Amino acid sequence: MKNVQLYDKSFKPYMSYEEIQKAIDAVAEKINIDLKDEHTPIFLGVLTGSFMFFGDLMKRITLECETCFIRLASYEGTSSTGQVKQMLGLTQSVKDRNIVVVEDIVDTGGTITELYKILNENGAKSIRTATLMYKPGSYKGSIKIDYPACSIPNDFIVGFGLDYDQIGRNLKDIYVLDPEETEKRKAINVR
Ligand code: 5GP
Ligand code: MG
């Protein structure tokens, strides 16, 4: 696999589609077992980044369940702004319901902490979290991340739903920022 260029940055291959699918298999299996006796859980996808993971995860969920989405945002460019905005609120009642939050990536934990607050305020019965990617080194939250498909270092990744300034979400594999190649290409462009 080759590097991909997104705007001013170069990204190198990090995880293939096949590896991602295997990681999702494992998470789905755990969820199917853990929630088998819970009443019709709601799988709540956090837009926009989770859309690919959400689709692939849900195809493997064999439980009777509902699905819905919420939109929160805390990132601008490649670093967290530290502030979480609620762009599209809950469209469905979560009162007395078992919720499985489906995230693309848990980084500092700001988003997930805010989301748990919203869900608790709205009377959720139980909340669990499944995330495609988890950065334990950067996580500052106190909420347990129940189902991390992959744990990764504190690097900036794109693809499989994850963006760099809104582009790159459609890449089927996951890529990581390549600082050396980014510098090299910049130098070529200048000349
Ligand atoms: P947190 O609130 O946990 O710091 O960040 C969560 C959100 O930040 C994620 O849902 C995602 O939108 C964004 N984010 C965090 N790390 C990365 C990353 O490595 N790549 C991309 N594309 N987005 C990230
Ligand atoms: Mg997100």
Side-chain angles (χ1 to χ4, degrees):
M1 282 205 298
K2 284 196 301 213
N3 270 34
V4 293
Q5 184 76 20
L6 300 176
Y7 295 137
D8 59 329
K9 293 193 174 24
S10 185
F11 293 84
K12 64 186 167 201
Y14 184 72
M15 204 173 166
S16 71
Y17 178 80
E18 290 70 27
E19 290 171 308
I20 300 166
Q21 295 299 316
K22 272 192 204 138
I24 301 176
D25 280 340
V27 159
E29 201 182 313
K30 278 191 210 141
I31 296 175
N32 282 327
I33 294 168
D34 287 0
L35 278 81
K36 68 177 186 325
D37 298 322
E38 303 243 323
H39 178 73
T40 318
I42 301 177
F43 284 78
L44 177 63
V46 184
L47 293 172
T48 304
S50 76
F51 76 97
M52 275 204 197
F53 175 46
F54 194 86
D56 282 343
L57 178 69
M58 294 319 296
K59 280 177 257 175
R60 293 162 166 89
I61 297 298
T62 52
L63 309 161
E64 177 185 283
C65 62
E66 293 178 21
T67 56
C68 72
F69 292 97
I70 189 167
R71 177 142 192 233
L72 303 164
S74 72
Y75 254 54
E76 264 165 37
T78 58
S79 65
S80 186
T81 58
Q83 274 184 339
V84 179
K85 287 180 283 190
Q86 190 173 340
M87 320 285 288
L88 169 71
L90 283 172
T91 51
Q92 188 168 335
S93 171
V94 296
K95 192 164 166 34
D96 301 325
R97 302 297 302 268
N98 299 305
I99 311 297
V100 182
V101 171
V102 181
E103 263 283 19
D104 50 357
I105 185 161
V106 174
D107 183 18
T108 64
T111 308
I112 202 82
T113 303
E114 181 62 25
L115 186 50
Y116 270 56
K117 219 173 92 193
I118 296 167
L119 294 171
N120 281 320
E121 279 168 8
N122 285 278
K125 182 178 171 197
S126 72
I127 316 171
R128 294 177 175 86
T129 291
T131 185
L132 178 65
M133 293 288 167
Y134 175 43
K135 295 182 184 172
S138 141
Y139 187 64
K140 293 181 196 74
S142 54
I143 291 152
K144 179 171 166 261
I145 307 303
D146 306 273
Y147 307 108
C150 320
S151 292
I152 59 165
N154 288 353
D155 301 318
F156 187 76
I157 56 166
V158 292
F160 208 81
L162 289 150
D163 71 306
Y164 169 51
D165 272 348
Q166 301 306 328
I167 63 169
R169 294 192 196 274
N170 54 319
L171 294 165
K172 86 187 231 295
D173 308 287
I174 290 179
Y175 295 79
V176 64
L177 184 63
D178 183 345
E180 287 106 67
E181 191 59 29
T182 297
E183 283 313 307
K184 251 191 246 165
R185 292 191 191 192
K186 239 183 236 165
I188 294 165
N189 284 346
V190 167
R191 249 177 265 145

